[in-house]
Amino acid sequence: YASGRMAELLNADVFMVLKSVENVCVGYNTEQESPLEHITVAEAQKYIDEGQFEPNTMLPKIEAAIDFVEQGDGRKAIITSLQNLENLDSATQIVKG
């Protein structure tokens, strides 16, 4: 949350969260696991409401990303791994929609 808030205060266009995974998944650790690439804030909120993200792992990152994106026009949040920085098209990107 703190890094998202700092990005807001700096009026950044992009908020990036680096994790050990290439992208966020729904149905994590199930046979229905599906990576998320380009999603809107509304879609992210729907997944939160469905309980798709663990409270102490991915949920705070998704919530921080949503807060950042909603605070300004043209903003996006990216969640990916350090190893995937050269291939951001496959990373999870959250936009207003």
Side-chain angles (χ1 to χ4, degrees), residues 2-3 6-7 10 12 14 18 24-25 30 32 34 37 39-40 44 48 50 62 67-69 81 85 90 95:
S3 58
M6 183 175 290
L10 292 171
V14 177
L18 296 177
V24 177
C25 292
T30 69
Q32 293 79 30
S34 177
E37 292 180 353
I39 62 171
T40 65
I48 289 172
E50 292 174 357
I62 297 291
D67 288 345
F68 171 78
V69 169
S81 67
L85 286 179
S90 69
V95 297

Side-chain angles (χ1 to χ4, degrees), residues 1 7 17 26 30 49-51 57 62 64 67 77-78 81 91 93:
Y1 288 112
V17 178
V26 292
T30 69
D49 295 344
E50 292 174 357
T57 57
I62 297 291
D67 288 345
I78 299 172
S81 67
Q93 298 187 32

Side-chain angles (χ1 to χ4, degrees), residues 72-86:
D73 291 331
R75 289 183 171 182
K76 72 176 169 181
I78 299 172
I79 302 174
T80 194
S81 67
L82 181 60
Q83 295 79 14
N84 196 48
L85 286 179
E86 292 183 9

Side-chain angles (χ1 to χ4, degrees), residues 1 8 15 39-48 53 59-72 75-77 79 94-96:
Y1 288 112
E8 287 175 34
F15 171 53
I39 62 171
T40 65
V41 166
E43 290 168 325
Q45 188 60 57
K46 179 179 97 61
Y47 294 133
I48 289 172
F53 309 119
L59 181 60
K61 290 139 187 84
I62 297 291
E63 290 174 333
I66 289 171
D67 288 345
F68 171 78
V69 169
E70 288 184 325
Q71 295 302 314
R75 289 183 171 182
K76 72 176 169 181
I79 302 174
I94 303 171
V95 297
K96 262 190 191 173

